[in-house]
Amino acid sequence: MTETLVREPLAHPPLGVDVPEIRPTLESAVAKKTRGGLIAGAAVVGAAAGLVAAASTPTAMTAAVIATGAVTALAANWSTCGMSVAGVVAAPKQPGRRGSSTPIRRLGWHTLGSLATGIPTGALFGALGALVTGSVPWAWMLAAWGVIALGYGLHELGMITLPTPMRRQQLPRHLRRTMAPWKVSLLFGALIGPGFMIFIRSSAYYLLVLGVIASGSPVLGAAMFATVSLGRCMPSVLAILHTHRGGSMPGFLSAMCVVDRRVQTFTGGVLIALAAFALAALV
């Protein structure tokens, strides 16, 4: 199915508004029985890793934060917002538009904007954590983080529903018509970098923020948010490669809508595993 979507353009013209409903539902993409098996398997693997590692609570927290940063870098991409960025960065420049940018140049500007705001945001979360978490025992923070990770892992897998606070707004579409493409790419990157300025695609982001705060490390926070900023360039990189090989942007966007639910399922499994790892590390 994905192969067909990648190769064939859509039959309808470009949509005038963002339509999140074009993604398949989680239930239609991944069977509930499969998700249930993933929960059990992920919990066993995570708990075994926590028991075998026998790490101290600060080390276990750092490991959990690094793993969460990695999965957030993957999972935060596949919203309609992320696809909008890919459309700006990778699409050929329309005739009559100002500037002489290329997709590669726009990707560079987009990456720069994302890193410029993402790195300070991560460092700030870590610095705030250093001020407020010094009096809280590591075991308590790790236990609380593990319970929250378990809850949001189940949330990602569609088993329960938890609050997902966010700024429910896509990137400003009108800027694509009023600014040079490289400037739009830079601005979109800057808006995306902090993570909370736009639609939050994956609840792994919440676990990353909580973990960085609990770690109390500005360096770790900066590194993890830089990782997420680089990961969020993934749709644009893939779109550039796809169109360079002769594919269409509508076909690419359609395929990514299919990929989205599988990435969500994988993220839920990782969060379950990390929750089990964190709780087992307390034993």
Side-chain angles (χ1 to χ4, degrees):
M1 180 176 182
T2 302
E3 181 74 16
T4 300
L5 287 169
V6 168
R7 293 183 179 277
E8 296 297 329
L10 296 179
H12 58 71
L15 298 175
V17 296
D18 289 316
V19 186
E21 293 79 9
I22 63 177
R23 292 183 297 148
T25 64
L26 181 61
E27 290 72 19
S28 63
V30 184
K32 190 171 184 178
K33 183 178 180 180
T34 301
R35 286 178 278 139
L38 178 61
I39 291 171
V44 170
V45 171
L51 293 173
V52 171
S56 65
T57 48
T59 301
M61 176 60 75
T62 300
V65 172
I66 293 173
T68 305
V71 75
T72 303
L74 171 67
N77 287 302
W78 313 110
S79 64
T80 51
C81 187
M83 296 300 99
S84 296
V85 172
V88 170
V89 172
K93 189 171 75 71
Q94 298 175 354
R97 291 292 299 274
R98 293 174 294 171
S100 59
S101 64
T102 64
I104 297 297
R105 292 177 186 174
R106 291 196 294 272
L107 177 62
W109 285 113
H110 177 66
T111 304
L112 176 63
S114 187
L115 289 172
T117 55
I119 290 175
T121 300
L124 179 60
F125 281 135
L128 290 175
L131 295 175
V132 302
T133 61
S135 59
V136 181
W138 277 102
W140 292 11
M141 291 191 293
L142 186 61
W145 188 92
V147 170
I148 296 172
L150 175 62
Y152 277 101
L154 294 173
H155 170 84
E156 287 291 308
L157 289 166
M159 300 302 182
I160 63 174
T161 301
L162 292 179
T164 53
M166 68 181 76
R167 183 171 183 257
R168 295 183 179 276
Q169 182 173 334
Q170 300 292 340
L171 297 170
R173 298 175 60 88
H174 70 281
L175 295 180
R176 306 178 203 178
R177 299 187 295 271
T178 59
M179 295 177 65
W182 75 267
K183 293 181 180 179
V184 179
S185 299
L186 177 66
L187 179 59
F188 280 10
L191 288 173
I192 288 173
F196 56 82
M197 296 294 292
I198 58 170
F199 182 85
I200 296 175
R201 170 63 189 90
S202 173
S203 55
Y205 172 79
Y206 307 124
L207 276 301
L208 176 62
V209 171
L210 291 176
V212 167
I213 292 174
S215 73
S217 171
V219 174
L220 181 62
M224 288 301 96
F225 271 71
T227 299
V228 174
S229 290
L230 292 174
R232 283 199 153 188
C233 296
M234 190 185 306
S236 298
V237 172
L238 294 178
I240 290 173
L241 292 174
H242 178 70
T243 54
H244 181 72
R245 294 172 179 173
S248 68
M249 280 300 297
F252 172 77
L253 301 181
S254 299
M256 292 305 98
C257 287
V258 176
V259 169
D260 174 62
R261 292 303 186 184
R262 288 160 175 75
V263 173
Q264 179 182 345
T265 302
F266 173 77
T267 303
V270 171
L271 291 181
I272 295 291
L274 289 176
F277 170 83
L279 297 175
L282 297 171
V283 178

